[in-house]
Amino acid sequence: MDLEKLREKMGGAVRSGGKGSVRRKKAVHKATTTTDDKRLQGTLKKLGVNTIPGIEEVNIFQDDNVVHFTNPKVQASIAANTYVISGPSQTKKLQELLPGILNQMGPDSLNHLQKMMAQVDVPDLVENFEEASK
């Protein structure tokens, strides 16, 4: 085949490899989340972390917010004082979860809740609602 006909057919396409091409200086590494997850699991295994079964929900209390996990995977190493909670989470306001989480709150959280309730201005009752409901 003639070299001129080949160049016309290829349309002067860019050469990718072969004699005289530029060498790639840096190898491309594709880091995936699975490799990160495997590395994390290996580190946790070194710490002696064990899975705790049967936990339906986990709530992490912050100032005004609660990080809420439903059906999480909970792992713990008591010797290393390490707890791992993984799974889908939602950040919610404390007021959204209130009646159901009162038994989970510690004394610090209850004191914070009392301070929040003191800041809320509740109006006085103007009417007698018992008579109005009759």
Side-chain angles (χ1 to χ4, degrees):
M1 203 174 205
D2 192 16
L3 190 57
E4 294 299 323
K5 288 183 183 179
L6 183 61
R7 284 190 185 150
E8 287 178 20
K9 185 176 180 183
M10 297 299 284
V14 178
R15 181 192 280 186
S16 62
K19 185 176 179 181
S21 65
V22 179
R23 182 176 179 199
R24 179 180 288 179
K25 295 177 176 66
K26 182 178 171 184
V28 177
H29 296 286
K30 295 182 180 178
T32 60
T33 57
T34 58
T35 58
D36 293 339
D37 190 38
K38 287 179 184 177
R39 196 176 295 166
L40 176 65
Q41 292 299 328
T43 305
L44 291 175
K45 190 179 244 183
K46 288 179 187 176
L47 289 174
V49 174
N50 296 322
T51 302
I52 302 173
I55 295 181
E56 296 175 4
E57 70 176 3
V58 172
N59 293 317
I60 299 175
F61 295 96
Q62 296 173 339
D63 289 333
D64 292 336
N65 295 327
V66 177
V67 181
H68 180 72
F69 293 88
T70 51
N71 295 325
K73 179 180 179 184
V74 179
Q75 299 171 313
S77 173
I78 306 300
N81 197 18
T82 303
Y83 299 90
V84 180
I85 302 167
S86 58
S89 67
Q90 300 171 344
T91 302
K92 297 182 178 183
K93 292 284 186 189
L94 186 62
Q95 292 85 357
E96 293 177 26
L97 299 172
L98 251 181
I101 62 169
L102 284 176
N103 59 350
Q104 300 174 7
M105 297 177 77
D108 294 337
S109 298
L110 287 174
N111 290 337
H112 182 70
L113 182 62
Q114 287 175 346
K115 288 178 186 176
M116 284 177 47
M117 292 304 294
Q119 292 174 356
V120 175
D121 187 27
V122 179
D124 294 331
L125 292 177
V126 179
E127 303 175 21
N128 189 353
F129 288 102
E130 291 179 3
E131 291 178 6
S133 66
K134 290 181 183 178

